[in-house]
mmCIF file of all heavy atoms in Angstrom:
data_model
loop_
_atom_site.group_PDB
_atom_site.id
_atom_site.type_symbol
_atom_site.label_atom_id
_atom_site.label_comp_id
_atom_site.label_asym_id
_atom_site.label_seq_id
_atom_site.Cartn_x
_atom_site.Cartn_y
_atom_site.Cartn_z
ATOM 1 N N VAL A 1 -27.421 103.792 75.648
ATOM 2 C CA VAL A 1 -28.664 104.384 75.205
ATOM 3 C C VAL A 1 -29.285 103.469 74.171
ATOM 4 O O VAL A 1 -28.634 103.129 73.165
ATOM 5 C CB VAL A 1 -28.501 105.813 74.605
ATOM 6 C CG1 VAL A 1 -29.827 106.377 74.147
ATOM 7 C CG2 VAL A 1 -27.867 106.709 75.664
ATOM 8 N N THR A 2 -30.512 103.053 74.347
ATOM 9 C CA THR A 2 -31.258 102.235 73.362
ATOM 10 C C THR A 2 -32.346 103.056 72.735
ATOM 11 O O THR A 2 -33.179 103.659 73.514
ATOM 12 C CB THR A 2 -31.835 100.967 74.015
ATOM 13 O OG1 THR A 2 -30.817 100.181 74.635
ATOM 14 C CG2 THR A 2 -32.581 100.133 73.020
ATOM 15 N N ILE A 3 -32.379 103.079 71.406
ATOM 16 C CA ILE A 3 -33.461 103.754 70.723
ATOM 17 C C ILE A 3 -34.309 102.703 70.006
ATOM 18 O O ILE A 3 -33.733 101.895 69.250
ATOM 19 C CB ILE A 3 -32.923 104.799 69.724
ATOM 20 C CG1 ILE A 3 -31.992 105.831 70.371
ATOM 21 C CG2 ILE A 3 -34.048 105.516 69.002
ATOM 22 C CD1 ILE A 3 -31.350 106.773 69.421
ATOM 23 N N TYR A 4 -35.570 102.661 70.260
ATOM 24 C CA TYR A 4 -36.422 101.642 69.709
ATOM 25 C C TYR A 4 -37.816 102.179 69.441
ATOM 26 O O TYR A 4 -38.122 103.327 69.688
ATOM 27 C CB TYR A 4 -36.522 100.479 70.750
ATOM 28 C CG TYR A 4 -37.313 100.916 72.006
ATOM 29 C CD1 TYR A 4 -38.678 100.443 72.228
ATOM 30 C CD2 TYR A 4 -36.788 101.675 73.024
ATOM 31 C CE1 TYR A 4 -39.358 100.789 73.357
ATOM 32 C CE2 TYR A 4 -37.527 102.023 74.140
ATOM 33 C CZ TYR A 4 -38.789 101.625 74.291
ATOM 34 O OH TYR A 4 -39.472 102.040 75.417
ATOM 35 N N ASN A 5 -38.652 101.360 68.830
ATOM 36 C CA ASN A 5 -40.033 101.691 68.495
ATOM 37 C C ASN A 5 -41.017 100.776 69.315
ATOM 38 O O ASN A 5 -40.789 99.510 69.306
ATOM 39 C CB ASN A 5 -40.324 101.598 67.010
ATOM 40 C CG ASN A 5 -39.892 102.823 66.267
ATOM 41 O OD1 ASN A 5 -39.985 103.982 66.752
ATOM 42 N ND2 ASN A 5 -39.303 102.616 65.068
ATOM 43 N N SER A 6 -42.016 101.320 69.879
ATOM 44 C CA SER A 6 -42.993 100.525 70.616
ATOM 45 C C SER A 6 -44.268 101.451 70.804
ATOM 46 O O SER A 6 -44.190 102.643 70.994
ATOM 47 C CB SER A 6 -42.495 100.116 71.970
ATOM 48 O OG SER A 6 -43.552 99.433 72.638
ATOM 49 N N SER A 7 -45.422 100.780 70.826
ATOM 50 C CA SER A 7 -46.674 101.545 71.051
ATOM 51 C C SER A 7 -46.898 101.789 72.523
ATOM 52 O O SER A 7 -47.729 102.557 72.868
ATOM 53 C CB SER A 7 -47.873 100.685 70.499
ATOM 54 O OG SER A 7 -47.917 99.408 71.155
ATOM 55 N N LYS A 8 -46.015 101.181 73.361
ATOM 56 C CA LYS A 8 -46.201 101.389 74.832
ATOM 57 C C LYS A 8 -45.012 102.349 75.246
ATOM 58 O O LYS A 8 -43.857 102.084 74.949
ATOM 59 C CB LYS A 8 -45.937 100.066 75.574
ATOM 60 C CG LYS A 8 -47.095 99.077 75.327
ATOM 61 C CD LYS A 8 -46.855 97.728 76.048
ATOM 62 C CE LYS A 8 -48.004 96.746 75.740
ATOM 63 N NZ LYS A 8 -47.790 95.537 76.507
ATOM 64 N N PRO A 9 -45.377 103.491 75.793
ATOM 65 C CA PRO A 9 -44.416 104.596 76.075
ATOM 66 C C PRO A 9 -43.283 104.130 77.006
ATOM 67 O O PRO A 9 -42.164 104.664 76.941
ATOM 68 C CB PRO A 9 -45.232 105.646 76.719
ATOM 69 C CG PRO A 9 -46.447 104.988 77.224
ATOM 70 C CD PRO A 9 -46.724 103.833 76.309
ATOM 71 N N GLY A 10 -43.562 103.193 77.960
ATOM 72 C CA GLY A 10 -42.521 102.833 78.919
ATOM 73 C C GLY A 10 -43.171 102.623 80.279
ATOM 74 O O GLY A 10 -44.403 102.930 80.504
ATOM 75 N N PRO A 11 -42.426 102.075 81.294
ATOM 76 C CA PRO A 11 -43.041 101.720 82.532
ATOM 77 C C PRO A 11 -43.547 102.914 83.373
ATOM 78 O O PRO A 11 -44.470 102.731 84.170
ATOM 79 C CB PRO A 11 -41.889 101.061 83.314
ATOM 80 C CG PRO A 11 -40.642 101.517 82.678
ATOM 81 C CD PRO A 11 -41.015 101.718 81.194
ATOM 82 N N LEU A 12 -43.100 104.139 83.014
ATOM 83 C CA LEU A 12 -43.566 105.322 83.804
ATOM 84 C C LEU A 12 -44.497 106.161 82.959
ATOM 85 O O LEU A 12 -44.986 107.212 83.363
ATOM 86 C CB LEU A 12 -42.368 106.190 84.230
ATOM 87 C CG LEU A 12 -41.354 105.495 85.137
ATOM 88 C CD1 LEU A 12 -40.202 106.436 85.463
ATOM 89 C CD2 LEU A 12 -41.969 105.021 86.422
ATOM 90 N N GLY A 13 -44.921 105.624 81.807
ATOM 91 C CA GLY A 13 -45.857 106.310 80.968
ATOM 92 C C GLY A 13 -45.238 107.526 80.290
ATOM 93 O O GLY A 13 -43.999 107.727 80.279
ATOM 94 N N LYS A 14 -46.058 108.327 79.628
ATOM 95 C CA LYS A 14 -45.678 109.521 78.800
ATOM 96 C C LYS A 14 -46.077 110.757 79.616
ATOM 97 O O LYS A 14 -47.251 111.005 79.831
ATOM 98 C CB LYS A 14 -46.253 109.565 77.438
ATOM 99 C CG LYS A 14 -45.796 110.715 76.578
ATOM 100 C CD LYS A 14 -46.369 110.600 75.195
ATOM 101 C CE LYS A 14 -45.805 111.702 74.262
ATOM 102 N NZ LYS A 14 -46.245 111.552 72.888
ATOM 103 N N PRO A 15 -45.086 111.552 80.079
ATOM 104 C CA PRO A 15 -45.463 112.840 80.808
ATOM 105 C C PRO A 15 -46.282 113.721 79.936
ATOM 106 O O PRO A 15 -46.227 113.715 78.703
ATOM 107 C CB PRO A 15 -44.058 113.496 81.130
ATOM 108 C CG PRO A 15 -43.121 112.312 81.013
ATOM 109 C CD PRO A 15 -43.624 111.379 79.972
ATOM 110 N N LYS A 16 -47.102 114.553 80.586
ATOM 111 C CA LYS A 16 -47.897 115.553 79.837
ATOM 112 C C LYS A 16 -47.026 116.684 79.343
ATOM 113 O O LYS A 16 -46.230 117.173 80.056
ATOM 114 C CB LYS A 16 -49.029 116.061 80.822
ATOM 115 C CG LYS A 16 -49.964 116.992 80.144
ATOM 116 C CD LYS A 16 -51.042 117.552 81.173
ATOM 117 C CE LYS A 16 -51.987 118.580 80.446
ATOM 118 N NZ LYS A 16 -53.005 119.026 81.364
ATOM 119 N N ALA A 17 -47.308 117.036 78.096
ATOM 120 C CA ALA A 17 -46.522 118.136 77.516
ATOM 121 C C ALA A 17 -46.906 119.455 78.072
ATOM 122 O O ALA A 17 -48.099 119.653 78.292
ATOM 123 C CB ALA A 17 -46.710 118.073 76.024
ATOM 124 N N ILE A 18 -45.970 120.273 78.339
ATOM 125 C CA ILE A 18 -46.197 121.645 78.722
ATOM 126 C C ILE A 18 -46.351 122.508 77.473
ATOM 127 O O ILE A 18 -45.604 122.367 76.552
ATOM 128 C CB ILE A 18 -44.999 122.188 79.595
ATOM 129 C CG1 ILE A 18 -44.825 121.401 80.830
ATOM 130 C CG2 ILE A 18 -45.279 123.633 79.906
ATOM 131 C CD1 ILE A 18 -43.602 121.695 81.657
ATOM 132 N N LYS A 19 -47.331 123.346 77.482
ATOM 133 C CA LYS A 19 -47.543 124.274 76.345
ATOM 134 C C LYS A 19 -47.396 125.661 76.768
ATOM 135 O O LYS A 19 -47.671 126.096 77.908
ATOM 136 C CB LYS A 19 -48.976 124.079 75.696
ATOM 137 C CG LYS A 19 -49.292 122.630 75.327
ATOM 138 C CD LYS A 19 -48.431 122.247 74.101
ATOM 139 C CE LYS A 19 -48.795 120.791 73.642
ATOM 140 N NZ LYS A 19 -47.956 120.318 72.521
ATOM 141 N N VAL A 20 -46.950 126.573 75.807
ATOM 142 C CA VAL A 20 -46.815 127.935 76.102
ATOM 143 C C VAL A 20 -47.732 128.690 75.128
ATOM 144 O O VAL A 20 -47.968 128.310 74.020
ATOM 145 C CB VAL A 20 -45.394 128.414 75.953
ATOM 146 C CG1 VAL A 20 -44.495 127.792 77.029
ATOM 147 C CG2 VAL A 20 -44.866 128.158 74.588
ATOM 148 N N ALA A 21 -48.202 129.870 75.570
ATOM 149 C CA ALA A 21 -49.119 130.731 74.789
ATOM 150 C C ALA A 21 -48.403 132.014 74.432
ATOM 151 O O ALA A 21 -47.963 132.724 75.288
ATOM 152 C CB ALA A 21 -50.345 131.027 75.529
ATOM 153 N N GLY A 22 -48.219 132.174 73.099
ATOM 154 C CA GLY A 22 -47.481 133.414 72.655
ATOM 155 C C GLY A 22 -45.957 133.346 72.860
ATOM 156 O O GLY A 22 -45.484 132.337 73.476
ATOM 157 N N TYR A 23 -45.289 134.368 72.378
ATOM 158 C CA TYR A 23 -43.852 134.301 72.436
ATOM 159 C C TYR A 23 -43.266 134.965 73.596
ATOM 160 O O TYR A 23 -43.571 136.075 73.918
ATOM 161 C CB TYR A 23 -43.375 134.981 71.140
ATOM 162 C CG TYR A 23 -41.820 134.965 71.011
ATOM 163 C CD1 TYR A 23 -41.198 133.796 70.639
ATOM 164 C CD2 TYR A 23 -41.049 136.027 71.417
ATOM 165 C CE1 TYR A 23 -39.744 133.761 70.594
ATOM 166 C CE2 TYR A 23 -39.670 135.982 71.342
ATOM 167 C CZ TYR A 23 -39.053 134.846 70.938
ATOM 168 O OH TYR A 23 -37.668 134.756 70.898
ATOM 169 N N SER A 24 -42.431 134.225 74.342
ATOM 170 C CA SER A 24 -41.704 134.740 75.476
ATOM 171 C C SER A 24 -40.222 134.543 75.242
ATOM 172 O O SER A 24 -39.412 135.263 75.766
ATOM 173 C CB SER A 24 -42.118 134.120 76.816
ATOM 174 O OG SER A 24 -41.624 132.846 76.905
ATOM 175 N N GLY A 25 -39.926 133.459 74.573
ATOM 176 C CA GLY A 25 -38.500 133.157 74.211
ATOM 177 C C GLY A 25 -37.828 132.317 75.317
ATOM 178 O O GLY A 25 -36.709 131.751 74.960
ATOM 179 N N TRP A 26 -38.397 132.100 76.394
ATOM 180 C CA TRP A 26 -37.789 131.239 77.482
ATOM 181 C C TRP A 26 -38.454 129.948 77.551
ATOM 182 O O TRP A 26 -39.647 129.796 77.366
ATOM 183 C CB TRP A 26 -37.964 131.944 78.867
ATOM 184 C CG TRP A 26 -36.923 132.982 79.149
ATOM 185 C CD1 TRP A 26 -36.984 134.335 78.751
ATOM 186 C CD2 TRP A 26 -35.772 132.856 79.887
ATOM 187 N NE1 TRP A 26 -35.924 134.984 79.199
ATOM 188 C CE2 TRP A 26 -35.138 134.187 79.975
ATOM 189 C CE3 TRP A 26 -35.203 131.807 80.615
ATOM 190 C CZ2 TRP A 26 -33.941 134.376 80.610
ATOM 191 C CZ3 TRP A 26 -34.024 132.066 81.323
ATOM 192 C CH2 TRP A 26 -33.371 133.329 81.268
ATOM 193 N N ASP A 27 -37.711 128.879 77.796
ATOM 194 C CA ASP A 27 -38.227 127.579 78.120
ATOM 195 C C ASP A 27 -38.790 127.637 79.509
ATOM 196 O O ASP A 27 -38.025 128.013 80.430
ATOM 197 C CB ASP A 27 -37.111 126.513 77.998
ATOM 198 C CG ASP A 27 -37.554 125.086 78.319
ATOM 199 O OD1 ASP A 27 -38.257 124.915 79.273
ATOM 200 O OD2 ASP A 27 -37.202 124.202 77.533
ATOM 201 N N PRO A 28 -40.036 127.328 79.744
ATOM 202 C CA PRO A 28 -40.627 127.519 81.043
ATOM 203 C C PRO A 28 -40.042 126.582 82.125
ATOM 204 O O PRO A 28 -40.160 126.940 83.281
ATOM 205 C CB PRO A 28 -42.116 127.231 80.874
ATOM 206 C CG PRO A 28 -42.176 126.425 79.548
ATOM 207 C CD PRO A 28 -41.074 126.924 78.763
ATOM 208 N N THR A 29 -39.261 125.581 81.741
ATOM 209 C CA THR A 29 -38.680 124.691 82.734
ATOM 210 C C THR A 29 -37.163 125.060 83.091
ATOM 211 O O THR A 29 -36.641 124.475 83.938
ATOM 212 C CB THR A 29 -38.676 123.240 82.223
ATOM 213 O OG1 THR A 29 -37.678 123.054 81.187
ATOM 214 C CG2 THR A 29 -40.044 122.851 81.697
#
């Protein structure tokens, strides 16, 4: 595992973040 810093997210880009509205307590994934 390599941990590094770069302004480029990687060859596959940065996935879109999933957001939740209100409290359900479950991870939607």
Side-chain angles (χ1 to χ4, degrees):
V1 179
T2 301
I3 305 177
Y4 69 104
N5 278 322
S6 174
S7 59
K8 297 180 180 179
L12 300 180
K14 183 174 183 176
K16 184 179 179 181
I18 299 172
K19 302 295 183 181
V20 295
Y23 182 77
S24 74
W26 279 81
D27 182 310
T29 72

